[in-house]
């Protein structure tokens, strides 16, 4: 079981309806590929967490990389002993859900600094704690 978290920048402004449609379609596709995770969009930046079998993730990743709606800037891989998000195929998370936006700031900062693909221990802890918080809320 693998997981990847990444930041990308949207290439054009997105309205809520378009974003919801993207998340709904992703949710449907991900469930059939055993991929789970979450997506948020704030200030033109997507943060997405995906987890699942390696081959399914690789296939999604190549579609994500060639999707003209965004440009991937940073990504990091995590090795999981078990899936964290059993309920969400792809859950669109309102950035307002994060009190004062802090965990999302941490995530953006950590990924921005840590780059790709390896995370040092501090960065890994920060990413893991955000993922833990979100998964506890699912
Ligand atoms: C920010 C972002 C996140 C996305 N997340 C997913 C996802 O989790 N699962 C998925 O199947 N497609 C996702 N997509 C869409 C894929 O890039 C791709 O367009 C889609 O999988 C193609 O399938 P379709 O033509 O059947 O919609 C995402 C696109 C963007 C811009």
């Amino acid at each position: 079981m693998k997981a990847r978290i990444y930041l990308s920048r949207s290439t054009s402004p997105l309205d809520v309806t378009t974003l919801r449609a993207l998340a709904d379609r992703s949710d449907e596709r991900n469930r059939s590929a055993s991929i789970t995770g979450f997506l948020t969009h704030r200030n033109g930046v997507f943060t997405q967490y995906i987890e699942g079998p390696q081959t399914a993730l690789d296939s999604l990743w190549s579609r994500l990389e060639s999707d003209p709606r965004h440009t991937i800037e940073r990504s990091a891989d995590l090795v999981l002993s078990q899936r964290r998000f059993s309920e969400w195929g792809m859950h669109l998370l309102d950035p307002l859900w994060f009190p004062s936006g802090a965990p999302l700031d941490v995530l953006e900062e950590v990924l921005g600094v840590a780059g790709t693909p390896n995370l040092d221990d501090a960065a890994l802890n920060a990413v893991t704690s955000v993922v833990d918080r979100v998964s506890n809320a699912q």
Side-chain angles (χ1 to χ4, degrees), residues 6 8 22 25-26 29-30 39 46 48 50 60 63-64 67 69-70 90:
Y6 73 85
S8 68
L22 170 68
R25 175 92 184 110
S26 298
R29 279 194 78 129
N30 291 358
L39 173 69
F46 290 108
Q48 188 173 27
I50 48 179
L60 172 57
R63 280 184 276 129
L64 288 170
D67 193 320
R69 292 172 286 186
H70 70 165
M90 185 44 56

Side-chain angles (χ1 to χ4, degrees), residues 11-89:
T11 44
S12 56
L14 273 185
D15 59 47
V16 174
T17 312
T18 311
L19 191 56
R20 287 217 182 102
L22 170 68
D24 286 349
R25 175 92 184 110
S26 298
D27 188 65
E28 206 176 284
R29 279 194 78 129
N30 291 358
R31 283 171 192 276
S32 63
S34 296
I35 293 174
T36 47
F38 66 86
L39 173 69
T40 87
H41 184 259
R42 183 178 68 161
N43 302 332
V45 175
F46 290 108
T47 305
Q48 188 173 27
Y49 171 90
I50 48 179
E51 62 182 12
Q54 179 81 59
T55 48
L57 285 189
D58 287 347
S59 141
L60 172 57
W61 189 249
S62 56
R63 280 184 276 129
L64 288 170
E65 275 188 313
S66 58
D67 193 320
R69 292 172 286 186
H70 70 165
T71 309
I72 296 174
E73 296 199 341
R74 303 281 182 187
S75 69
D77 290 338
L78 309 172
V79 178
L80 301 178
S81 52
Q82 61 179 40
R83 187 183 290 281
R84 307 305 309 274
F85 296 92
S86 50
E87 305 293 324
W88 297 345

